[in-house]
Each structure stands twice: as structure tokens, then as C-alpha cells.
Amino acid sequence: MQLFIEIYGFLSVVLRGFTLAAQSVAVGGLAFLLMLVWPLAGALGASGPVLERRALRLVFLSACALLAAEALAAAALTLMLAGTLEIPIDQAAEARAVAVALMAAVLGAVIALAAWRARRGGGAIRSAAPVLAALLLGVQAGATHAVSQFEGAVALAAAELLHMGGAAVWIGGIPYFLMALTDVTDPTARASVARRFSLMSVGAVAALLAGGLLMAVYYVGTPRALYGTSYGVMLTAKITLLLGLLFLGGLNFLAVRKLKNEPAGPLLRTRRFAETEIGVGLTVIFCAASLASLPPARDLPNDRASFAEIVDRLEPRLPIRLDSPDFEALSAALPPEALKNLPPGAQPPRSPADIAWSEYNHHWAGLFVVAMGVMALLERMSRRLAPVMRHWPLVFLGLAGFLFLRADEAVWPLGRLGLIESLRDPEIAQHRLLTLLIVAFGLFEWQVRLGRIKAWWAAYVFPISTATAAAFLLTHSHALSNLKEETLIEITHTPLALVGVAAGWSRWLELRLDGEAKKIAGLVWPVAFIFAGLMLVFYREA
């Protein structure tokens, strides 16, 4: 039970992310059917029923995923409350947040049942869809910061509804738009679908921005709270990702306008940008889940990081640390009797040697990443060096080996904690997971580049793994008692996640596009790697 309680913080953010993603796809599918497929049925001809069945199938699957995620979230929260408050399970299950999760699970089940029956000819979903979507969003608004506010709760709940509804129609609707581009073969009908979805997206973006702006003004309050708190840092990351989404959406908007005059025009870029919008959109959703786990910035008037402290932390300085302090100088080397007076689960205060150890690890890791980015860039820019530079993925193995042995000094083979035992610490468990992903990057990409793996999906392991690791980095938290120090660490980690998102999805576009756009995307992700490496090389904790 203690292990479960220790990892619950990370688990709850991940579950919240899956819940919001499934909810967006389910509600986005209902909106797509209501506002596009059914009104345009006459223009779609024989493609209409095919598109409707496929859309209903995805609504069914996403609603089932929502049901499972909400049920798991309710069970996890009940166990956590029972364990931490030392109360019976049935009493813990009476908590309001547990009831909200169970209600959302029930609505997920009803939506799944309605979609399943509709695929077999039932028509009830046509009248029930708006009600079910509104009820689901309304219930989810009951699990946000809005309901815990003493002032403005109604306005904030309305803003949450606008924000979640806009995200569902826009981001959740993109998979259905991609279906339509495939299923609708008539160029004129396909152009009509594109125009209708473009209008839906414009309205959804307006609702999303209006709700988000109201919540940002209320929950943040002042510019200093935006950059001086963890909530503000995560909100800034979410806004940055949203701007990237708007850029991709803008490119698709322009492409759709061209279809008006040329219905049979090429759709390759529209499809590929839409695919990328789905990936970045899911990252935004996980960022929103992480944001929901943090207290609003305005509730933390003290212990904020100042602008000068942030500049001091981020300012590049030489020399970098390439020599580690002696292990005996670290807190991890303290004998058990020196720790006996600490509270259960507490760690000893960090010493200058501990900070030097952490910076040493980050600086070496940064050198590995810079080397990979430079080699990948040279592979594309120099035909003479390309045969050697194409082996750059092997550098991943060196990075993974270094991190496995040196990232966590308290763990085997340096510290007293065994490898399995160390996984009880959420932060160490996340480091191990990222190490495995790094190994997967290197081996797969190297084999693909040598042509030894010819499966169509193999080339996509690298961009998906990069983007997924970056998304998980946004859920990565450092539970410190010093809120200012926690914020300063988040400020150094969050830009790494954003650069990782850019690297992953630009590599995806390189694989999926052609012509000049492919070449440009192929240059973006190595540069992103170099930026990420430099951030690590100059990383500081004091």
C-alpha cells in the first residue's frame, strides 16, 4: 500500500491524461456526426454510410477507453484515500471526486452502448448525442479547480466547459476528419467535408481560447505568478504547444481554401499536418492533466521564483561539470544510523555534493545528445560524411548506459538500494522508463537506417518514442518541500519536453511528406536535438 501511495501522484496524472484524451475523441466523434456527417449525408452519397459506421466504431472504442480509465481512476483514488487517511474502503469511496469519476464512467458506458446500437441500425444516438456530450463535459467540469473556488465558481465552470468542448470538437474531431479524407472519394463532396470541418474548428478554437483565457486570468492573476510558479510554468508550456497546433491548423485552413477552387487538388500535406495535430494535441491534453494536478498560481502568493533567480538558473556558464564528486561525499552514502531520525519516506537535505553530482550527470547526457544532433545534421548536409554519420543512433546506447549507471546515485550499482526496490520511488521509476525508451530509440533507428528492419512501422518507432517521452516529461514532477526550488527545476525541464515534442513530430513529418517540406522537416529535428543537448550541457541546480 505504501508503494501505491508513493506513486499515486504520477499515476493520477497519467490516468487523467488518458481520461481527457478518450473523452475528447468520444465527444469529438459525436460532434463530427452531429455537425458534419448527418447534415451532409445527401452530398456524401455512398461514402456517407461508410464514414458513419467508421466514426461510430471510433466513438464506441473511445467511450470504452473512457469507461475503463474512469473506473481505474475511481478505484485508485479510493485506495489512496483509504491508505492515507486510514479509513474503511466504503467510506473512502464516498468522496466527491470518486463519485465524479464513477458518473463519467457510467456516461462512457452509455455512449459506447448508443454507438454500438447505432452501428446496427439504431437511431437513438441522433437525438441523444448532444445530451450525452453535454452531460459528460458537465460532469468532468466537476473534477476541476473551478468547483473548489469560493468566488466565481459558476463562471469558471462555464469556462471549463467551453475549454473542454472546444478541445473535443477540434482536437478530438481530427481523427474523424482523416477518416473522411480517406472514405469520401468524390472530390466535390470531400471539399465540402473539409470546409465544414474547417468552420467547426474555427468555432472550437474560439471557444477553447475564450475559456482558457478566462481561467488563466483567474488562476494566475499576475505576470510574476506566470513565470514564478510551477502552475505558471506548465501553463506556459501548454500555451506554447497550443501555438504550434494553431500553426498547423492554419496551414490546413489555407489548404482547405485552395480546395474551394480546386476540389481534386492534392491532400497529402493536409493529411500529414492533421496527423501531427493529433499527436501534438494529445501532448496538450497530457499537459492539461498535469496542470490540473497543480494548485492554481494565485493560491501560492509566497515562495515564488523571482525573474532574477530564473535568469541566474538558466544562464549558461563555463566550465561545465565533467568530473563527479566522490560517492562518499553524497547524501546517498550516509550510514543508516544517520537517517534514523528522518520521518518515514523523507530524504536527507541535499548537499553541495549532491547538486554537483546531478549537474555532472546532466552535462554528460547533454554532450551525448549534442553529438547525436550534430551527426544527424551532418548526415543530411554532407554526402561525404553521410555513410559514417548515419550510425548516429548508436550514441543512444552510450547515453542509456551512462544514465542507467550514474543517474540515480542511491541505486545499484553505486548505492544501497537494489534495482527492483528502487522502482518504488516514482522519480527513479520514471528515470528507468526513460532509459528503456532511449535504448529502444537507438536500436530501432540504427536497424532501420541500415535497412535491416523493413517493416513499414519500424521507421515510426523513433518519432513516436521521442514524442511520447517528451509528453511523459511534462507529467514528470519533483515533489519537493521547497516550492520555489520545485519551480526552478520545472523551468529547466519543461523546455526539454517542448523541444522533444518538436523533434518527434518533425521527424514524423520528414517520414510522411515529400519534396521541400520533407527536407525542411528533416533539418528541424536534428537542430531540436542540438538545442536539447545544449540545455542539458548548461543545466544547473544552484
Side-chain angles (χ1 to χ4, degrees):
M1 177 59 80
Q2 185 60 36
L3 170 61
F4 175 76
I5 293 173
E6 289 174 359
I7 66 172
Y8 177 77
F10 173 67
L11 177 65
S12 64
V13 174
V14 174
L15 279 175
R16 179 72 176 164
F18 277 113
T19 296
L20 291 177
Q23 168 192 292
S24 295
V25 176
V27 174
L30 294 177
F32 194 83
L33 288 164
L34 274 169
M35 293 189 275
L36 194 150
V37 176
W38 293 330
L40 294 182
L44 296 178
S47 300
V50 177
L51 177 60
E52 182 182 19
R53 282 196 297 274
R54 291 188 67 198
L56 286 169
R57 183 172 184 271
L58 185 53
V59 170
F60 170 77
L61 293 175
S62 56
C64 288
L66 175 66
L67 165 63
E70 290 287 14
L72 193 56
L77 179 58
T78 301
L79 285 175
M80 191 278 292
L81 291 174
T84 53
L85 301 178
E86 298 182 349
I87 57 177
I89 291 287
D90 57 342
Q91 189 174 340
E94 295 175 358
R96 185 178 61 83
V98 175
V100 168
L102 290 176
M103 283 192 285
V106 170
L107 284 170
V110 173
I111 292 173
L113 179 62
W116 183 77
R117 289 176 62 88
R119 291 195 75 212
R120 283 156 176 76
I125 196 171
R126 294 191 176 226
S127 54
V131 178
L132 291 172
L135 280 175
L136 181 56
L137 294 177
V139 168
Q140 292 292 11
T144 64
H145 289 309
V147 296
S148 61
Q149 302 301 310
F150 294 110
E151 298 177 355
V154 174
L156 288 170
E160 289 278 8
L161 280 173
L162 271 178
H163 197 62
M164 287 191 291
V169 173
W170 177 28
I171 299 173
I174 295 174
Y176 302 92
F177 176 55
L178 279 173
M179 284 182 187
L181 293 180
T182 301
D183 293 341
V184 180
T185 53
D186 177 67
T188 303
R190 195 167 53 206
S192 299
V193 168
R195 284 197 300 274
R196 178 65 69 97
F197 185 71
S198 182
L199 288 174
M200 289 169 55
S201 298
V202 169
V205 168
L208 184 148
L209 293 179
L213 182 62
L214 178 61
M215 288 189 291
V217 169
Y218 185 85
Y219 290 138
V220 177
T222 64
R224 184 178 175 186
L226 185 62
Y227 63 76
T229 64
S230 293
Y231 186 94
V233 172
M234 194 57 66
L235 178 61
T236 304
K238 188 181 173 189
I239 292 171
T240 304
L241 290 168
L242 187 60
L243 290 175
L245 267 181
L246 289 173
F247 175 73
L248 292 168
L251 292 176
N252 270 344
F253 179 79
L254 295 176
V256 168
R257 290 189 64 181
K258 289 182 180 178
L259 288 179
K260 183 176 181 181
N261 299 322
E262 190 183 355
L267 288 171
L268 178 67
R269 292 190 182 184
T270 302
R271 294 176 194 270
R272 302 310 176 231
F273 289 146
E275 293 169 0
T276 307
E277 280 185 81
I278 293 174
V280 178
L282 288 175
T283 310
V284 172
I285 287 172
F286 271 82
C287 190
S290 184
L291 198 61
S293 70
L294 297 170
R298 65 175 296 165
D299 291 347
L300 300 173
N302 303 315
D303 296 324
R304 292 176 179 174
S306 69
F307 185 74
E309 288 170 325
I310 294 170
V311 171
D312 182 67
R313 183 62 61 91
L314 296 178
E315 182 184 13
R317 291 181 186 172
L318 293 172
I320 61 175
R321 294 185 186 276
L322 298 179
D323 293 323
S324 67
D326 293 335
F327 178 72
E328 289 71 21
L330 304 176
S331 299
L334 291 173
E337 54 269 22
L339 308 176
K340 62 183 179 182
N341 293 326
L342 290 174
Q347 299 294 324
R350 301 191 78 208
S351 67
D354 294 328
I355 293 173
W357 177 277
S358 178
E359 291 181 352
Y360 152 83
N361 284 329
H362 283 82
H363 295 175
W364 268 107
L367 292 177
F368 279 110
V369 178
V370 168
M372 284 185 281
V374 170
M375 290 177 70
L377 197 58
L378 289 175
E379 181 191 8
R380 284 153 178 75
M381 299 181 68
S382 170
R383 291 184 179 179
R384 184 171 62 86
L385 295 176
V388 176
M389 295 297 123
R390 68 172 182 159
H391 296 290
W392 65 264
L394 292 178
V395 182
F396 272 124
L397 304 185
L399 173 62
F402 175 82
L403 293 178
F404 182 80
L405 295 173
R406 308 290 285 186
D408 296 293
E409 69 277 14
V411 182
W412 178 90
L414 296 174
R416 287 190 291 269
L417 276 177
L419 183 59
I420 302 301
E421 184 184 6
S422 70
L423 299 180
R424 299 175 64 177
D425 186 312
E427 191 171 331
I428 295 175
Q430 290 175 58
H431 289 164
R432 296 303 187 208
L433 175 61
L434 289 176
T435 301
L436 291 175
L437 288 174
I438 290 170
V439 172
F441 291 169
L443 291 177
F444 263 92
E445 189 66 9
W446 184 53
Q447 293 290 312
V448 168
R449 288 187 171 277
L450 294 183
R452 294 173 181 169
I453 298 179
K454 300 184 184 302
W456 66 268
W457 50 264
Y460 299 104
V461 168
F462 171 70
I464 291 175
S465 299
T466 303
T468 302
F472 270 95
L473 190 57
L474 288 173
T475 68
H476 183 84
S477 63
H478 295 79
L480 303 177
S481 56
N482 187 331
L483 294 177
K484 182 190 293 184
E485 188 59 30
E486 182 178 340
T487 300
L488 290 171
I489 292 179
E490 297 296 342
I491 283 174
T492 59
H493 282 67
T494 303
L496 284 171
L498 297 178
V499 170
V501 171
W505 290 109
S506 57
R507 170 60 177 160
W508 176 275
L509 287 175
E510 182 189 17
L511 293 170
R512 302 284 287 170
L513 287 171
D514 57 13
E516 284 300 313
K518 179 185 182 74
K519 292 180 181 177
I520 294 172
L523 295 176
V524 169
W525 70 264
V527 172
F529 259 57
I530 294 173
F531 271 117
L534 291 176
M535 289 180 200
L536 291 168
V537 165
F538 293 109
Y539 173 83
R540 294 173 55 238
E541 292 189 4

